[in-house]
């Protein structure tokens, strides 16, 4: 029995509501535990997890089985009861209207006979099916060793087995479009039946050899061989490694890693021909901490969440157009790696502009964040907290200053430094009111507030935002004589980046910073170093100023100070400068909050213990040498210090933005910066072998770049998974 054919893409449009149907049956299992799985999941986070991703979800009225008419020891009676339940389940699914995407939560795996016959009727023909399971579930009533019906559904769906199970209305599965992933326990009869039918079985040994990503891609090709029929996925949770997911009826040693499975399930997001998802065999009685329930929610979200293209479109529709991101939508980071919402992996060679120096989700930093968030996150500075004094002390002792003023973003820290410098100029140096001047450098990037943009030489940053505050001037970067010529008795401070990051990874001439420090001392001008991007080990020293033995009068820190988790920044100076601030002069509700202080303190502890600048110096020198020795076409210069490296391109050869897109296609995430430069700034924890592989990929991309008439970026397989 079939219904009128439906286009799978119409059944699962981007605007579909996920209809969650709990099939609360354990009739086919040796334990009643799975029957309570759907209700437990209803009270867990499945719908909420989907809603948080922008996917509408609704729970349908759950299905409950009728008890068997004969004692549970009577197999035929149990099969009849399972079949009756499966028929009702199939009817419910076949009748789902267009615009409802079915997510079926079991129950034991015997419910699958109803799920996939019903969805076959709904679509008008049998879908292809990916069956993820530790077992083959392909027994007949004659071959079963255990008598458990949840070991029979796949055979029944393929048209063999007990007549009551095979007779459930709906088309039988096509063996050529059916495959099993993760099998590691079966009886010979099952294996022989599937081999005779031609069902592809990907055993765990093959997955371990080839990798789950490659196996899943092949399985999708099998299941999607008939695009008009669509395909589905049935996940028995005993496919997972029981050490990570013990809440199942029939655990088997070994198995799939839950995180790896979630990553590959994201490939389903881009499949308009996906007609249904089924997740079964969850045992809440074996999951007291509800970690298993969280994984079920994660699997559903991975498979059914929005894909990258739709998320980009949504951001473009609702967000201000003040950024132009590259076309990758990231959803997870770990160490030096990023994963997008379509399941691809990338090497992070940008570190969020140096904010992720310790890598994504560093366990100690996440631990500090979670622990403090559970205790106290915010009080404002109207009160003391137990975390801020420790953070301030560690800041001052680590960097050798007497005072620290904590704020949130690097921009706030720069604004704090400007205010301190002007007030110092008036109160200490004796500059007349409203006359204090600040000097910065051409090509600088200190942020984008009105005052800071007034210091910028980038016409794009300034256009349309004037008038700017007076008393802001610029001199050429790297020219100490120009600085001295610009200083007047009204000059309060010189604000400088030891290495210009956004300016194009510009390293000044040797001796420049030390000469500037001497000039500032002689003219009684504050030297303020903006080390938001260069500080905390990025350039091969704790601070980039240390390359020339310079101790500035004021130090601006940010980005990496928050461990890639929170915006944490600070302005540091001695009392002679900082004590110009009095209560009410300057502040921030969130500045120095307990949560930020806890994370910042742990960052400083990691700095002291691991000294990441030492390996940054060594690995950065090796990376620069590799790129220079490659003598790449169209490359004007390789420059930088430590793990802050710029590849300056001849604009006649290539636009750095286009090269960054090609690198993204090759699995390397980074961006272009000022002066047609590609930025290379990985987390400081990067492994040397990984960095070597990255250098090889970068060299390959540049060597194969077609030049001025570049075509659409094409993928290189190096880091894409």
């Amino acid at each position: 029995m079939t219904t009128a054919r439906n286009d799978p893409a119409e059944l699962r449009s981007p605007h579909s509501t996920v209809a969650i149907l709990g099939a609360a049956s354990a009739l086919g299992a040796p334990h009643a535990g799975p029957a309570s799985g759907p209700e437990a999941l209803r009270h867990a986070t499945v719908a909420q997890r989907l809603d948080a991703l922008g996917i509408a979800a609704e729970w349908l009225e759950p299905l409950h089985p009728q008890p068997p008419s004969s004692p549970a020891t009577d197999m035929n009676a149990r099969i009849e009861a399972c079949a009756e339940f499966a028929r009702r389940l199939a009817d419910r699914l076949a009748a789902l209207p267009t615009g409802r995407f079915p997510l079926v939560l079991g129950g034991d795996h015997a419910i699958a006979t109803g799920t996939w016959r019903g969805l076959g009727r709904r679509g008008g023909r049998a879908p292809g099916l990916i069956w993820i399971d530790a077992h083959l579930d392909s027994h007949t009533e004659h071959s079963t060793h255990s008598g458990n019906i949840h070991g029979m559904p796949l055979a029944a769906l393929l048209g063999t087995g007990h007549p009551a199970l095979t007779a459930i209305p709906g088309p039988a599965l096509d063996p050529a479009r059916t495959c099993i992933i993760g099998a590691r326990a079966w009886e010979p009869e099952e294996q022989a039946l599937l081999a005779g039918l031609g069902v592809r079985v990907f055993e765990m040994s093959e997955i371990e050899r080839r990798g789950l990503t490659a196996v899943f891609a092949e399985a999708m090709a099998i299941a999607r061989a008939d695009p008009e029929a669509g395909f589905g996925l049935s996940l028995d949770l005993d496919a997972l490694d029981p050490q990570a997911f013990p809440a199942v009826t029939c655990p088997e040693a070994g198995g799939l890693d839950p995180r790896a499975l979630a990553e590959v399930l994201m490939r389903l997001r881009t499949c308009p021909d996906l007609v249904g998802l089924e997740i079964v065999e969850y045992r809440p009685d074996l999951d007291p901490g509800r970690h298993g329930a969280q994984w079920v929610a994660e699997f559903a979200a991975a498979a059914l969440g929005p894909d990258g293209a739709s998320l980009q479109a949504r951001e473009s529709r609702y967000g201000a157009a003040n950024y132009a991101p590259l076309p990758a939508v990231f959803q997870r980071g770990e160490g030096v790696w990023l994963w997008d919402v379509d399941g691809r992996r990338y090497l992070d060679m940008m570190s969020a502009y140096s904010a992720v120096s310790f890598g994504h989700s560093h366990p100690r930093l996440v631990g500090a964040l979670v622990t403090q968030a559970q205790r106290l996150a915010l009080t404002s500075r109207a009160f003391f907290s137990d975390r801020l004094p420790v953070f301030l002390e560690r800041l001052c002792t680590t960097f050798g200053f007497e005072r620290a003023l904590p704020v949130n973003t690097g921009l706030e820290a720069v604004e704090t430094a400007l205010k301190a410098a002007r007030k110092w100029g008036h109160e200490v140096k004796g500059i007349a009111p409203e006359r204090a001047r600040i000097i910065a450098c051409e090509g600088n990037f200190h942020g984008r507030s009105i005052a800071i943009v007034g210091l910028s030489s980038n016409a794009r940053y300034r256009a349309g935002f004037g008038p700017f505050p007076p008393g802001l001037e610029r001199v050429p970067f790297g020219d100490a004589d120009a600085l001295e010529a610009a200083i007047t008795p009204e000059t309060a401070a010189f604000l400088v980046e030891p290495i210009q990051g956004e300016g194009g990874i510009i390293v000044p001439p040797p001796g420049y910073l030390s000469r500037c420090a001497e000039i500032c001392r002689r003219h009684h001008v504050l030297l303020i170093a903006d080390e938001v991007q260069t500080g905390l080990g990025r350039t091969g020293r704790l601070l980039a100023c240390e390359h020339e033995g310079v101790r500035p009068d004021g130090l601006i820190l940010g980005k990496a100070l928050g461990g890639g988790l929170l915006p944490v920044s600070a302005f540091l100076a001695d009392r002679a400068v900082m004590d110009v601030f009095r209560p009410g002069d300057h502040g921030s509700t969130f500045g120095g909050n307990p949560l930020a202080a806890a994370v910042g303190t742990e960052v400083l502890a990691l700095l002291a213990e691991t000294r990441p600048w030492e390996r940054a110096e060594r690995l950065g020198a090796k990376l620069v040498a590799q790129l220079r020795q490659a003598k790449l076409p169209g490359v004007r210069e390789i420059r930088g210090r430590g793990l802050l490296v710029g590849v300056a391109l001849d604009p006649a050869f290539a636009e750095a933005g286009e090269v960054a897109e090609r690198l993204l296609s090759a699995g390397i995430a980074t961006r272009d910066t000022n002066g047609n430069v590609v930025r290379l700034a990985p987390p400081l924890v990067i492994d040397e072998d990984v960095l070597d592989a990255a250098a090889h990929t970068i060299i390959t991309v540049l060597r194969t770049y077609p030049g001025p008439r570049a075509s659409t970026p094409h993928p290189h397989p190096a880091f894409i998974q």
Side-chain angles (χ1 to χ4, degrees), residues 183-531:
R184 56 193 185 276
W186 57 80
E187 278 82 35
E189 298 92 335
E190 296 179 281
Q191 189 176 43
L193 185 148
L194 294 177
L197 292 173
V199 172
R200 178 72 161 93
V201 178
F202 297 95
E203 301 175 23
M204 275 306 303
S205 57
E206 181 175 356
I207 294 169
E208 291 164 357
R209 185 177 72 254
R210 297 176 55 196
L212 182 58
T213 300
V215 164
F216 195 78
E218 185 177 341
M220 287 181 65
I222 291 169
R224 302 178 76 187
D226 183 352
E228 293 186 3
F231 77 108
L233 185 140
S234 180
L235 169 59
D236 187 325
L237 294 166
D238 68 20
L240 300 168
D241 189 324
Q243 295 296 317
F245 196 106
V248 295
T249 300
C250 299
E252 298 288 347
L256 302 175
D257 173 68
R259 175 53 61 193
L261 178 59
E263 301 294 353
V264 298
L265 289 179
M266 287 184 177
R267 303 296 176 95
L268 301 178
R269 294 185 177 197
T270 58
C271 300
D273 52 336
L274 182 69
V275 300
L277 174 65
E278 177 181 60
I279 304 176
V280 300
E281 299 280 0
Y282 170 59
R283 288 274 303 271
D285 57 309
L286 299 178
D287 190 31
R290 295 296 180 259
H291 300 301
Q294 293 172 14
W295 273 119
V296 173
E298 185 68 19
F299 297 144
L304 304 180
D307 65 10
S310 64
L311 286 167
Q312 291 175 55
R314 193 177 301 183
E315 183 170 326
S316 296
R317 178 178 178 182
Y318 294 107
N322 60 321
Y323 276 95
L326 291 185
V329 181
F330 295 128
Q331 53 86 21
R332 189 172 78 87
E334 182 178 330
V336 300
W337 302 103
L338 291 163
W339 284 263
D340 70 13
V341 295
D342 300 320
R344 292 183 291 266
R345 188 184 75 164
Y346 303 77
L347 176 65
D348 186 355
M349 287 291 285
M350 185 175 164
S351 303
Y353 298 100
S354 299
V356 192
S357 288
F358 287 102
H360 297 275
S361 301
H362 190 287
R364 278 181 55 177
L365 299 180
V366 171
L369 177 76
V370 171
T371 300
Q372 186 61 38
Q374 292 172 336
R375 294 181 66 248
L376 179 67
L378 180 66
T379 63
S380 85
R381 293 294 301 280
F383 307 95
F384 290 99
S385 80
D386 64 339
R387 297 313 308 255
L388 182 57
V390 177
F391 179 48
L392 295 176
E393 181 182 20
R394 299 282 173 83
L395 270 174
C396 290
T397 56
T398 298
F399 299 102
F401 289 89
E402 294 175 340
R403 302 269 197 208
L405 197 160
V407 289
N408 304 294
T409 65
L411 178 148
E412 291 177 72
V414 172
E415 286 277 0
T416 302
L418 296 180
K419 289 177 70 174
R422 280 186 162 174
K423 196 164 189 185
W424 174 87
H426 298 313
E427 294 192 357
V428 178
K429 187 172 179 178
I431 300 171
E434 309 298 323
R435 301 293 297 175
R437 298 165 62 240
I438 306 289
I439 298 175
C441 292
E442 299 285 344
N444 76 76
F445 182 82
H446 299 292
R448 291 191 178 94
S449 69
I450 288 291
I452 296 172
V453 168
L455 281 168
S456 177
S457 58
N458 190 316
R460 183 178 55 180
Y461 295 159
R462 297 171 61 91
F465 297 114
F468 302 107
L472 306 174
E473 303 175 23
R474 297 186 302 273
V475 296
F477 182 63
D479 187 341
D481 291 335
L483 170 64
E484 184 155 30
I487 290 175
T488 74
E490 295 179 338
T491 302
F494 174 49
L495 175 63
V496 63
E497 299 159 278
I499 297 172
Q500 290 189 338
E502 288 303 285
I505 320 297
I506 306 296
V507 181
Y512 167 70
L513 199 61
S514 58
R515 175 105 190 279
C516 288
E518 184 274 325
I519 291 169
C520 287
R521 280 194 301 272
R522 185 155 34 87
H523 290 279
H524 200 32
V525 169
L526 299 178
L527 174 65
I528 299 176
D530 180 347
E531 295 239 24

Side-chain angles (χ1 to χ4, degrees), residues 15-92:
H15 308 292
S16 294
T17 295
V18 174
I20 309 175
L21 179 55
S25 169
L27 288 171
H31 192 282
S36 59
E39 185 62 21
L41 293 171
R42 184 169 190 158
H43 293 290
T45 60
V46 176
Q48 296 92 319
R49 182 78 174 87
L50 291 170
D51 181 72
L53 293 175
I55 299 296
E58 63 180 16
W59 280 89
L60 304 179
E61 186 68 24
L63 275 178
H64 296 278
Q66 301 294 329
S69 58
S70 299
T73 54
D74 185 335
M75 179 185 292
N76 286 330
R78 291 176 60 224
I79 289 179
E80 288 293 344
C82 282
E84 187 277 334
F85 179 82
R87 288 189 196 95
R88 288 192 288 127
L89 176 57
D91 290 344
R92 288 282 298 277

